[in-house]
Amino acid sequence: MLYRQTKSRIGAAFQGLLVDFYPWDQEKPAVEDERARREIARVLYDEFRGPLTHNLGVWIKPVGRGEFVAGERGYIFKIIRLTDPAGDGLSEDMIETLESSDSWPFAKMKATVGLYKHKKVVNLERLYWGTRRLVERLSADSVRMSHAERFLTI
């Protein structure tokens, strides 16, 4: 509702928001090509967000640690997590660093999504960090925020 206040095809606003405001410039390498940003946004919607939300994940079949088969599609998608040196998830310090950094603060996970012929990979902490930056960037867009404010006051 903050990004676009029009009716559009399912997922279009979600994907457009990612294309326009996700910190693609912080990826290693930076995702400068709009076609590539659109493809990554489509994969995030079609393969991760949409099916998990709308189908409650029933099409997902685990095949290994952090790896799943995407139903009838035949390829694997993998969820990668960042952990502390002991492998116990993120420490409180790591979370604070992640949430307060304007640029990606860790050496690992250079990209949010990896697209390969037989595998799709999403790095959850990188996506979490990027989504926080996306909200900051969207909120700083005074034109979009004034449209959203008018829409929400009706």
Side-chain angles (χ1 to χ4, degrees):
M1 291 177 63
L2 297 178
Y3 171 68
R4 186 181 297 154
Q5 299 79 42
T6 60
K7 291 183 180 180
S8 58
R9 66 176 174 77
I10 294 175
F14 178 88
Q15 292 174 56
L17 176 64
L18 286 171
V19 169
D20 292 344
F21 289 97
Y22 194 82
W24 301 112
D25 56 320
Q26 297 286 321
E27 300 279 301
K28 302 289 185 234
V31 183
E32 297 176 0
D33 180 54
E34 185 172 336
R35 235 176 311 132
R37 292 193 308 266
R38 288 192 183 286
E39 177 62 11
I40 294 169
R42 185 199 62 75
V43 167
L44 281 170
Y45 183 80
D46 288 346
E47 310 302 338
F48 293 97
R49 187 252 181 222
L52 287 173
T53 304
H54 300 297
N55 297 330
L56 299 175
V58 297
W59 58 276
I60 299 170
K61 297 179 180 79
V63 294
R65 187 172 182 216
E67 291 190 347
F68 306 86
V69 171
E72 304 295 321
R73 297 173 181 154
Y75 57 80
I76 291 175
F77 72 90
K78 184 171 184 169
I79 298 170
I80 297 177
R81 298 291 316 268
L82 187 64
T83 61
D84 69 5
D88 295 328
L90 298 180
S91 67
E92 188 66 33
D93 287 344
M94 290 174 80
I95 292 170
E96 286 181 22
T97 299
L98 183 73
E99 292 182 346
S100 64
S101 296
D102 290 334
S103 60
W104 179 247
F106 304 111
K108 292 182 178 179
M109 296 183 171
K110 305 275 187 204
T112 303
V113 175
L115 303 178
Y116 309 98
K117 185 174 181 172
H118 298 292
K119 188 186 319 189
K120 315 281 189 236
V121 179
V122 67
N123 299 302
L124 288 187
E125 284 78 14
R126 181 87 193 202
L127 181 62
Y128 173 76
W129 172 85
T131 301
R132 290 177 62 89
R133 302 291 79 78
L134 174 148
V135 171
E136 290 173 356
R137 290 175 176 197
L138 175 62
S139 299
D141 186 320
S142 60
V143 173
R144 288 201 189 260
M145 290 302 100
S146 66
H147 288 296
E149 186 174 3
R150 280 195 304 278
F151 176 77
L152 294 171
T153 57
I154 295 174

